[in-house]
Amino acid sequence: MQTEAAPDHNPFRIARKQLDEAADIIQLDPAAHEILRWPLRELHVTIPVKMDSGCIKIFHGFRVQYNDARGPNKGGVRFHPDESIDTVRALAAWMTWKTAVMDLPLGGGKGGVICDTKSMSNDELERLSRAYIRQVGRMLGLEKDVPAPDMYTTPQIMAWMADEYSFMQGNNEFGVVTGKPLELGGSAGRGDATARGGIYCVREAAELLGMNLSGMKAAIQGYGNVGSNTHKLAVELLGMRVVCVSDSQGGIYNPEGLDHAELMTHKQATGSVTGFPGALPVANEELLELDVAVLFPAALESVINGSNAGNIKAILIAELANGPATPEADKILYSKGIHVIPDLLCNAGGVTVSYFEMVQNSYGYYWEEEDVHRRLEKKMKTAFRKVNETARKYNVHNRLGAYILAVERVADAMKLRGWV
Ligand SMILES: NC(=O)c1ccc[n+]([C@@H]2O[C@H](COP(=O)([O-])OP(=O)(O)OC[C@H]3O[C@@H](n4cnc5c(N)ncnc54)[C@H](O)[C@@H]3O)[C@@H](O)[C@H]2O)c1
């Protein structure tokens, strides 16, 4: 069954509140504002899947197309037991703002299925992934809506989805999904793109704040695709010491720093970062309040909120997760002078390389990894500076700066198209 988020942490209400605040500041045309408060389209699907035991299990899923004024809807598919329509709506809205902040010719969408992948076999996951695409495929297309991976969805799942969609069309249309394996038209550099984009932003922020990050401490919440790659790149590209990381089972702490390769081996062997030799156990809530230079939330929404924002000691928060801080937290963090790199910018490396993947798929020519890194770095730097400029111009925190930039761009596109 669908689980409702706690009232004040409902992600869609938060997304709307953020939009309303930006719209007020720029005195957005009321019709444009009203359109942007709603998804343009959404589909709720019920998905029967034959489980290995032979019984049929019924899953529920969604695909939301929030706004495609600037181009086809783009956004991942999440497989999560707590998925809800409001989470998917919020994530689809954030994708709309994110593609606009990055100035990509795309809109925003998102999908999700309520399921617990950890309790499913590989065959069950394949059947669910294909069945989801058979249900939402009517909304997808190169010029309509292009999904990608998100929490608990992988390149293999993207491959099944691209294959199922291709069968439905009667020809290969691999470009309809991004985050695919390289062998099926994936882009070099997509695997660590979200983490890498965030690290490029941290480098820009450190320069802005006059911080030398070398040897400084970092903590990372979440140790999946984004969190584990952030660990690797924070050490490799920034010379930082990652002292604390966590996953859904709990966290670990070592003031000397955690070794990425050894921790990956441990996680692969045991399924969790917990119990890593030489490290002390730490609760997920404690991780957020540690005395570190940079805090990387890379797991779930609303983890930084009115009740803990006042205790945060980091100088910089790099929001790799979507929606990790609530509006109450934003106010507190801003008043404490903590520099937040907002999710709309910080985790946009993934969608940017997904866009590169769409471009490469459409002309059938593939770039070298260094080429992808160079293009990503340029996009991230430009967007970082633009967000910073906008925040300063309006004298607001960076999230509102990012919102204002994005909302103006989407509203301009709607006006040019004659929608408002
Ligand atoms: N993958 C991408 O390209 C991408 C792009 C943009 C944003 N994001 C966002 O980054 C975040 C992580 O995505 P991912 O792709 O790494 O997912 P993932 O499924 O690979 O990993 C998720 C991680 O979060 C951990 N986790 C789950 N619940 C937790 C909890 N309560 N406390 C601490 N850790 C918890 C899991 O154990 C796992 O380590 C999500 O918010 C996602 O929306 C991902």
Side-chain angles (χ1 to χ4, degrees), residues 208-266:
L208 191 75
L209 302 173
M211 285 167 80
N212 176 3
L213 294 172
S214 177
M216 282 189 145
K217 290 188 273 183
I220 305 170
Q221 184 182 57
Y223 209 72
N225 170 297
V226 178
S228 63
N229 280 310
T230 299
H231 182 176
K232 183 166 184 274
L233 295 174
V235 175
E236 276 178 16
L237 300 185
L238 305 175
M240 296 197 78
R241 198 158 31 110
V242 176
V243 295
C244 189
V245 305
S246 70
D247 60 24
S248 56
Q249 324 252 320
I252 51 165
Y253 176 74
N254 182 339
E256 303 306 317
L258 298 157
D259 184 87
H260 173 260
E262 286 173 14
L263 185 53
M264 285 303 283
T265 309
H266 173 81

Side-chain angles (χ1 to χ4, degrees), residues 49-52 57 59 79 113-129:
V49 175
K50 185 176 260 187
M51 305 306 276
D52 293 346
K57 188 165 173 185
F59 293 87
F79 283 0
V113 177
I114 305 169
C115 64
D116 179 8
T117 56
K118 289 180 187 165
S119 67
M120 295 171 70
S121 72
N122 213 39
D123 286 349
E124 289 169 343
L125 261 183
E126 175 173 356
R127 289 195 288 273
L128 174 64
S129 306

Side-chain angles (χ1 to χ4, degrees), residues 103 116 155 198 206 216 219 257 259 265 270 282-283 290 311 320 343 384 386 390 406:
D103 207 9
D116 179 8
M216 282 189 145
D259 184 87
T265 309
T270 66
V282 168
L290 282 178
N311 303 330
L320 290 164
D343 51 0
F384 183 94
K386 205 78 194 138
T390 314

Side-chain angles (χ1 to χ4, degrees), residues 322-339:
N322 281 306
T326 63
E328 300 80 60
D330 276 340
K331 287 200 185 81
I332 299 169
L333 298 173
Y334 191 47
S335 71
K336 281 170 64 109
I338 294 175
H339 187 100

Side-chain angles (χ1 to χ4, degrees), residues 3 105 260 289 354 385 388 393:
T3 322
H260 173 260
E289 299 177 13
S354 272
R385 287 174 192 165
N388 194 254
K393 178 175 162 193

